Amino acid sequence: MSIIHNAKSKLFILSWILYCLVSFQNVYAVGAAGCGLGSVIFSDNRWWKQILAATTNGSTFSQTLGITTGTSNCNASGALTRYQEQKDYIVVNYVTLQKEAAQGNGETLKGLAAVSGCEDSAYQDFAMLLQTNYSEIFSSNNTEQIVESMNFKIKTNPTLVRRCLTGSI
């Protein structure tokens, strides 16, 4: 009876490992196991470490949390992360950004373009968009409203929509 029990245990473990490999193979690749707590603990890309990473990710549900919050190596270009970066950048640089957006030029404005995921070659269009829509974008001192208004303007601009990766909630 113990031989049968032992075989069932081994079969269960093997099935669980295969399940994890199949279930998580296409998720937000860091290694084959994807992002999550497993990718932090087992960062090497050797096959056996990726099995352990996938098992850890699957059993702790850390991958979902990591993708949502942009943690545990899940920060490639997450919209939530970019949105938060935009908000943080505006809070820290609010007064200077207001002035530079009104003028349509400046280093802090260039930094906002970078935080917004804009290519370097898109900066002039980005600056012009903020200058042209200044009264709408900066109509409030509420950071979330500023970011949402700015991202809406970028997404409705045929040039910038292809050249900037804006965040959203």
Side-chain angles (χ1 to χ4, degrees):
M1 181 123 155
S2 66
I3 294 175
I4 294 173
H5 184 273
N6 194 15
K8 284 183 178 181
S9 296
K10 287 180 181 178
L11 182 61
F12 174 77
I13 291 170
L14 181 62
S15 298
W16 179 251
I17 290 171
L18 288 173
Y19 167 78
C20 289
L21 285 174
V22 172
S23 297
F24 303 115
Q25 69 182 1
N26 292 323
V27 180
Y28 228 79
V30 169
C35 64
L37 181 61
S39 73
V40 175
I41 297 170
F42 306 101
S43 59
D44 191 5
N45 214 8
R46 294 186 189 146
W47 70 270
W48 62 273
K49 286 190 176 183
Q50 290 302 301
I51 290 172
L52 293 172
T55 303
T56 302
N57 291 343
S59 61
T60 63
F61 302 103
S62 63
Q63 208 159 41
T64 303
L65 180 65
I67 290 170
T68 304
T69 61
T71 58
S72 302
N73 293 328
C74 300
N75 58 2
S77 64
L80 186 60
T81 301
R82 185 167 312 279
Y83 179 80
Q84 187 61 48
E85 288 173 357
Q86 288 173 313
K87 283 179 19 179
D88 293 344
Y89 190 86
I90 290 171
V91 166
V92 171
N93 299 291
Y94 183 74
V95 173
T96 307
L97 277 173
Q98 273 191 306
K99 183 170 52 169
E100 291 182 4
Q103 295 169 347
N105 194 17
E107 288 302 311
T108 309
L109 192 59
K110 196 172 213 173
L112 180 59
V115 169
S116 298
C118 296
E119 301 168 0
D120 290 341
S121 61
Y123 169 68
Q124 291 300 324
D125 292 327
F126 178 84
M128 184 184 299
L129 178 85
L130 264 64
Q131 184 181 31
T132 304
N133 296 286
Y134 176 85
S135 60
E136 290 176 57
I137 294 171
F138 288 94
S139 64
S140 164
N141 61 358
N142 180 305
T143 309
E144 288 185 10
Q145 288 178 352
I146 293 169
V147 172
E148 289 172 14
S149 178
M150 178 184 70
N151 287 344
F152 176 77
K153 294 294 182 185
I154 291 170
K155 288 175 184 175
T156 57
N157 181 293
T159 304
L160 292 176
V161 71
R162 295 185 316 265
R163 298 168 68 198
C164 298
L165 303 169
T166 59
S168 60
I169 52 174

